[in-house]
Amino acid sequence: MLEALTPPRQFTLSGDFWRQIPGYSEVSEQDFSDPAWQERNSIMRPEKIRDLLQGNVAEQFIRDLSEGLSDSTMSMRITPYILSLIDWSAAKKDPIRRQFLPLKSEMIAAHPLLRLDSLNEHGDQISEGVVHRYPDRALFLATDKCPVYCRFCTRSYSVGVDTPTVTKDRNAPVADRWKSAIDAIRKSAAIVDVVVSGGDCFRLKASHLLELGSELINLGKLKRIRFASKGLSVLPMKIMNDRAWTDALIRLSDMGRAKGVEISFHTHINHPREVTHYVVDAARLLFTNGVMVRNQSVLLRGVNDGFSEMTRLVKLLSDNHIHPYYTYVCDLVSGIEDMRTSIDSARHLEKHVRGITAGYNTPLFVVDAPGGGGKRDVHSYEVYDKETGLSVYAAPGVRPGKLFVYPDPLHSLSPGIVADWASDDRAREMVRMVVERAKMQGRISGG
Ligand code: SF4
């Protein structure tokens, strides 16, 4: 079913780039391109990095990483592929390293409004693993595993293994969970759109992906199904070389098309350096076989918050038929305050990006409103008080009458306001005042 393809030549890295890692100097292209080899050799301990780099990483970095992991909500897991994309001569500043390997020396105090499960996904569950927030859509959390673990994962309350700071949700066995989840989707007449996520669909077996997708298509009521995976960014060789898995996705795409259900694959690429020749090949294969691919980036300080990085990313994605759908302002997650950006910087970046390419290839910059307001255009706030760093969003199509407050990171605020945030009374007062202003300006009750 899969076609042999010649990808366009626009590599940002080429050849056997992994051989620059001493521990991979003898690894053949065949092994490195084998997703099973990548999974088998995934790196889950700082000491393994020391072994692989063989003197090319400072002992201080390994200590810093170990201490950072002790304060993280996500454990460490990266593929050899991701390890090889990091520029180890400048690892502290490297945009790939920053996403996966936390350093204690970079961590700063969390914002006082931070809560675990900051989007309140628990509050919107209609069955274990089914979040029904928007009227016609549901999020189906089909697995709690991923091929890598990102420091900034919003779903750190349930994804991955326990860390010193978070005991993850204990979910029912997958088979039981899926049955009740599909029943809940079937019974809710309003749901016509399902996002199958997790965790990450790359961690579903091909047979399970096909079984689950077929069952959803055969419900006969859905119009759209999206399969979400960061895999295209972190394990792209799976698309080319795990033929059973990719065939399952293509079969679902074909089956959906025949039955009037739009099937798409949503991925998560944050930096232009992630678009390697492996990604180009994989994206081309999906495109040629009719699978629609969209990208959802997270805006991260020191990764993609620069104009140059974001514009290169948007262009590279577009040119490889990966539709740049969303750029999310980073959610409130413990241990990653240094990576968040302000609403003002997101607005500024969006202004520069809009116009560089076709509008339909320009991502919508959104903030996922803390507490469950859903995704809001960053520009659509009722009030934005740059001094206190508080923006207030209404979501009439999702939670009529409610208001949602997003706080800018403390590092973007003046020392005086940072001191105010340290006082519970003053913090409550700042939130109260901005919400009152929003109610007055937007003539919205509740909140
Ligand atoms: S791949 Fe997605 S779900 Fe998994 S850790 Fe990263 S952000 Fe979280």
Side-chain angles (χ1 to χ4, degrees):
M1 173 176 284
L2 307 183
E3 297 179 17
L5 297 163
T6 308
R9 302 286 107 181
Q10 53 183 103
F11 303 165
T12 50
L13 273 175
S14 59
D16 46 4
F17 57 88
W18 59 91
R19 288 178 190 261
Q20 68 195 318
I21 305 292
Y24 300 148
S25 61
E26 302 296 320
V27 174
S28 67
E29 180 166 10
Q30 190 179 359
D31 279 347
F32 195 78
S33 303
D34 176 355
W37 183 91
Q38 291 280 336
E39 294 256 22
R40 257 196 327 274
N41 289 284
S42 287
I43 300 122
M44 290 175 272
R45 291 178 299 108
E47 297 73 28
K48 182 73 180 168
I49 293 181
R50 182 203 286 129
D51 295 348
L52 289 165
L53 271 286
Q54 296 173 11
N56 291 291
V57 62
E59 201 48 40
Q60 172 56 29
F61 180 95
I62 300 294
R63 266 198 305 277
D64 207 356
L65 173 58
S66 300
E67 289 172 13
L69 285 166
S70 301
D71 281 354
S72 289
T73 57
M74 300 302 290
S75 60
M76 176 179 156
R77 183 185 175 98
I78 55 172
T79 52
Y81 170 76
I82 282 294
L83 183 92
S84 306
L85 291 188
I86 295 171
D87 175 0
W88 286 97
S89 67
K92 282 198 85 164
K93 287 196 162 178
D94 188 87
I96 314 289
R97 191 284 301 163
R98 270 180 72 70
Q99 297 180 58
F100 304 102
L101 304 177
L103 298 183
K104 175 75 177 174
S105 60
E106 288 178 339
M107 290 181 168
I108 53 179
H111 196 287
L113 296 186
L114 168 78
R115 304 282 177 274
L116 189 64
D117 185 16
S118 67
L119 304 181
N120 190 28
E121 291 187 337
H122 275 117
D124 281 332
Q125 292 206 12
I126 55 170
S127 171
E128 188 177 344
V130 180
V131 180
H132 188 194
R133 166 162 304 148
Y134 305 96
D136 67 346
R137 280 154 284 168
L139 170 65
F140 181 176
L141 305 175
T143 171
D144 46 23
K145 298 185 179 67
C146 303
V148 298
Y149 291 127
C150 314
R151 288 175 61 193
F152 49 89
C153 182
T154 304
R155 219 156 281 135
S156 58
Y157 66 86
S158 69
V159 168
V161 296
D162 291 351
T163 71
T165 62
V166 181
T167 304
K168 311 279 168 159
D169 282 0
R170 293 281 169 260
N171 294 316
V174 161
D176 298 348
R177 211 187 325 158
W178 283 13
K179 187 174 177 322
S180 52
I182 290 171
D183 277 351
I185 291 168
R186 181 188 292 111
K187 283 179 191 150
S188 174
I191 297 174
V192 294
D193 186 342
V194 171
V195 180
V196 181
S197 184
D200 192 306
C201 288
F202 253 35
R203 293 304 294 270
L204 301 179
K205 286 183 186 161
S207 57
H208 289 167
L209 178 73
L210 191 57
E211 186 188 324
L212 176 60
S214 307
E215 215 171 322
L216 288 171
I217 290 171
N218 289 331
L219 287 178
K221 57 173 276 188
L222 299 182
K223 302 294 179 201
R224 292 169 292 280
I225 304 170
R226 314 174 228 176
F227 293 95
S229 170
K230 191 172 172 63
L232 191 57
S233 158
V234 298
L235 191 60
M237 48 285 287
K238 186 176 173 81
I239 297 287
M240 302 301 294
N241 296 329
D242 183 346
R243 297 299 176 99
W245 196 93
T246 309
D247 270 354
L249 181 65
I250 293 169
R251 276 181 67 186
L252 290 171
S253 171
D254 292 345
M255 196 189 305
R257 195 173 299 109
K259 296 194 173 191
V261 185
E262 180 192 287
I263 305 293
S264 55
F265 182 69
H266 279 211
T267 194
H268 172 188
I269 298 175
N270 289 329
H271 190 274
R273 194 152 17 105
E274 292 165 46
V275 187
T276 64
H277 62 281
Y278 281 104
V279 173
V280 171
D281 286 357
R284 182 70 180 268
L285 189 149
L286 294 174
F287 175 69
T288 308
N289 284 279
V291 179
M292 181 185 294
V293 183
R294 301 192 186 97
N295 188 63
Q296 304 186 178
S297 297
V298 179
L299 183 57
L300 297 167
R301 184 163 165 250
V303 174
N304 56 12
D305 60 333
F307 173 62
S308 159
E309 287 77 16
M310 187 54 77
T311 51
R312 275 192 296 138
L313 177 64
V314 167
K315 291 287 285 175
L316 270 174
L317 294 173
S318 310
D319 292 351
N320 285 289
H321 310 290
I322 302 170
H323 179 209
Y325 174 35
Y326 278 142
T327 299
Y328 288 86
V329 173
C330 186
D331 294 328
L332 287 148
V333 177
S334 184
I336 55 105
E337 189 67 3
D338 59 303
M339 301 186 85
R340 289 204 302 127
T341 59
S342 66
I343 292 296
D344 201 34
S345 59
R347 282 191 322 168
H348 184 70
L349 190 55
E350 194 274 348
K351 193 189 296 182
H352 282 78
V353 170
R354 186 155 298 278
I356 61 158
T357 189
Y360 64 84
N361 268 327
T362 305
L364 185 67
F365 282 59
V366 293
V367 57
D368 218 336
K375 290 173 269 297
R376 314 307 304 164
D377 182 332
V378 287
H379 298 87
S380 68
Y381 46 74
E382 306 300 310
V383 170
Y384 179 29
D385 181 338
K386 283 198 216 173
E387 194 187 352
T388 58
L390 294 176
S391 45
V392 183
Y393 290 87
V398 183
R399 291 278 188 277
K402 292 276 184 192
L403 293 172
F404 300 88
V405 176
Y406 181 85
D408 284 350
L410 295 180
H411 63 72
S412 67
L413 306 176
S414 71
I417 294 294
V418 172
D420 282 351
W421 277 111
S423 152
D424 287 350
D425 287 347
R426 185 66 192 114
R428 263 194 297 277
E429 183 59 9
M430 287 190 286
V431 173
R432 189 192 67 75
M433 283 173 62
V434 78
V435 169
E436 280 307 312
R437 269 177 63 194
K439 284 181 183 172
M440 278 161 46
Q441 291 184 22
R443 293 191 294 281
I444 291 164
S445 58

